[in-house]
Amino acid sequence: MHDTFVSNPSFFKLDATLKKIRNYWQKNFDAQQKDITVDQWLLIENLYKHKRITHNELARLTSKDITTVSRIIELLVKKELVERQGSTDDRRKVFVQLTPAGVNKYKDVRPLVLEMRKTGWNNLSEGDYNELTRILDVIYNNIP
Amino acid sequence: MHDTFVSNPSFFKLDATLKKIRNYWQKNFDAQQKDITVDQWLLIENLYKHKRITHNELARLTSKDITTVSRIIELLVKKELVERQGSTDDRRKVFVQLTPAGVNKYKDVRPLVLEMRKTGWNNLSEGDYNELTRILDVIYNNIP
DNA sequence: TAGCAATAGTTGCTAGAGCAACTATTTATG
DNA sequence: CATAAATAGTTGCTCTAGCAACTATTGCTA
């Protein structure tokens, strides 16, 4: 591993790519008046999958800070897409789940998301996808 | 390209990896009292390379919004690591360059950055690096 | 059982991201 | 030459990120 390799700012390329994706998603959300942000979507997606979970689990699933999750949930509650329910057996916990409107939002936005993912993966094979996954996993696990 | 492939949230993995890297960098900066953020570092690195450039060019080089660059520069000016100079031939432009203290900061932080990059690339080959670069480039260019 | 540590969540703070609206200047076009 | 269009940058706004400090509750342990 020679120096040019090490000094090459791969970090930057990751950041640039992610920003471009995020931007593209947000512009499409806005253009189709979906009235959500990309991160709000990520939470909705996870809530649809897991039905009823705590802030903590949601944070872990989304790789987000608990404080960030707390605030995004707050916005989603205001939009009446999500509701909170204090746990009865452990009164520290707060469960979160989609409202019927939240479920509708998921179903409404989902096709657009699939379409955008397809656009991103254009000209790439499943092997490429596996490679990317593998490399990112190694990097992730390299970092203490 | 079957559905599991398309629906797989690669976006999420990119985001998670980047956050982990960014976090690791920041923690090391803090632990060694470098007194900068990761994005402030990215600007310093670019200013060291390009000596004297405008906000606009800096934004393009770093894939950052001009407004964001403007604000980061402001913080760096407060820290006396960077100085601004209005252009004389085009009075809309503002040139930015490192102060001597800024150059010292670059030289002080640089070894730590190289070390951290090495950590991230542990167990990966130059081929992996090329693959990652290639795939991210394709994704980047797929997006309008 | 009393007291302390651990856990779940919230609030305050600083910083980065990006859009919209604005000023100031330069360039293009009539 | 005058006016419009384009460009560089700043400011205000909302949202996300993450740290520190805080409350409330639960679990552990002497």
Side-chain angles (χ1 to χ4, degrees), chain A residues 19 23 27 54-56 67 70-71 84 92 94:
Chain A
K19 261 184 222 162
N23 229 274
K27 282 206 165 85
T54 63
H55 287 190
N56 229 352
T67 59
S70 186
R71 279 161 181 143
R84 291 194 241 227
R92 289 170 303 183
V94 178

Side-chain angles (χ1 to χ4, degrees), chain B residues 13 18 33 53 75 77 82 95 101 107 123 135-136 141:
Chain B
K13 198 175 275 294
L18 190 59
Q33 277 134 36
I53 54 180
L75 293 174
V77 167
V82 156
F95 283 103
K107 288 178 179 163
N123 302 315
I135 295 169
L136 290 179
N141 291 310

Side-chain angles (χ1 to χ4, degrees), chain A residues 6-17 19, chain B residues 18 21-23 25-26 29 34-51 53-55 57-65 68-69 72-73 76 79 81-82 96 98 102 105-106 109-110 113-114 116-117:
Chain A
V6 172
S7 65
N8 199 306
S10 54
F11 173 93
F12 166 71
K13 199 175 275 290
L14 271 180
D15 186 51
T17 307
K19 261 184 222 162
Chain B
L18 190 59
I21 296 172
R22 189 180 287 275
N23 229 271
W25 281 42
Q26 190 62 58
F29 284 170
K34 298 305 187 189
D35 188 34
I36 50 170
T37 66
V38 174
D39 295 282
Q40 285 166 20
W41 164 254
L42 292 178
L43 259 62
I44 288 174
E45 204 175 32
N46 272 279
L47 284 173
Y48 185 84
K49 247 178 238 151
H50 296 92
K51 305 302 174 201
I53 54 180
T54 62
H55 288 189
E57 294 173 84
L58 203 43
R60 195 174 40 75
L61 287 169
T62 55
S63 276
K64 288 186 183 303
D65 202 88
T68 303
V69 167
I72 297 179
I73 290 296
L76 290 174
K79 290 179 180 172
L81 300 174
V82 156
V96 180
L98 292 180
K105 180 63 77 177
Y106 172 81
V109 175
R110 174 83 174 153
V113 166
L114 288 184
M116 293 192 292
R117 284 198 178 118

Side-chain angles (χ1 to χ4, degrees), chain A residues 7-72:
Chain A
S7 65
N8 199 306
S10 54
F11 173 93
F12 166 71
K13 199 175 275 290
L14 271 180
D15 186 51
T17 307
L18 189 60
K19 261 184 222 162
K20 186 141 187 203
I21 295 173
R22 188 180 286 275
N23 229 274
Y24 172 61
W25 282 40
Q26 190 63 57
K27 282 206 165 85
N28 275 276
F29 284 169
D30 292 347
Q32 300 198 19
Q33 277 134 33
K34 298 306 186 189
D35 189 34
I36 51 170
T37 66
V38 174
D39 295 281
Q40 286 166 18
W41 164 253
L42 291 178
L43 259 63
I44 289 175
E45 205 174 31
N46 272 279
L47 285 173
Y48 185 84
K49 248 178 236 152
H50 297 92
K51 304 303 175 200
R52 188 165 176 276
I53 55 180
T54 63
H55 287 190
N56 229 352
E57 296 174 82
L58 203 44
R60 196 175 39 76
L61 287 169
T62 56
S63 275
K64 288 187 183 302
D65 202 89
I66 303 184
T67 59
T68 304
V69 168
S70 186
R71 279 161 181 143
I72 297 178

Side-chain angles (χ1 to χ4, degrees), chain A residues 126-136, chain B residues 128 131 135:
Chain A
E126 190 158 354
D128 293 328
Y129 173 77
N130 292 333
E131 275 291 275
L132 179 64
T133 302
R134 176 183 67 79
I135 295 170
L136 291 179
Chain B
D128 293 329
E131 276 291 273
I135 295 169

Side-chain angles (χ1 to χ4, degrees), chain B residues 19 23 27 54-56 67 70-71 84 92-94:
Chain B
K19 261 185 222 162
N23 229 271
K27 283 205 164 87
T54 62
H55 288 189
N56 229 352
T67 60
S70 185
R71 279 161 182 144
R84 291 193 242 226
R92 290 170 304 183
K93 289 186 184 174
V94 177

